[in-house]
Amino acid sequence: MSTSQPSYEQNYGSEEHVLADHLIGLEKAALEKWFKGDTSGYEALWSARSFTYFDAVVTERVDDHETIKRFLSTIRGKLFAERYEIRSPRVQAGQDMAVLTYQLFAKTNLIDMEYNVIEVFQKEETEWHVIHSTWSFIRPMDKTFPNINKVV
């Protein structure tokens, strides 16, 4: 067994490796912009046709791209981090759909991020877009938020 890749990846065929690298690359490109205050990466990655979103600090599901676009406009230019870390990314794929899960860690100017992230991708014509996104706190019962800044 190779130690250079997780054990589940050893069951991947070459197409699955290419897809996993592509989807993780799309997510990393969106995060690169995100942590520079630019929300356009997620605005483009998240499906305009069919999108839902759960966030750790919002009690209800967002049910469309227009609503998330309005939310993104309220934080554009306000969230920054010098670096971030994606841990244990994993892509599980079926025909024209895939799920990316990972843990995200970043110390930002607003909050310390420690999230479990779930991105459900669907191939729309020739491009992959996220049709559902969930960002939930890792072990929320252990969290305290004494210094959280208001984002909106």
Side-chain angles (χ1 to χ4, degrees), residues 47 49-52 97 120-122 124 129-133:
S47 174
R49 186 179 69 78
S50 174
F51 182 72
T52 57
M97 292 197 72
V120 179
F121 284 83
Q122 183 173 23
E124 296 178 353
H129 290 276
V130 173
I131 61 169
H132 177 78
S133 184

Side-chain angles (χ1 to χ4, degrees), residues 16-30:
E16 290 168 304
H17 278 287
V18 169
L19 178 60
D21 289 345
H22 177 66
L23 297 181
I24 292 168
L26 291 174
E27 188 76 13
K28 285 182 177 179

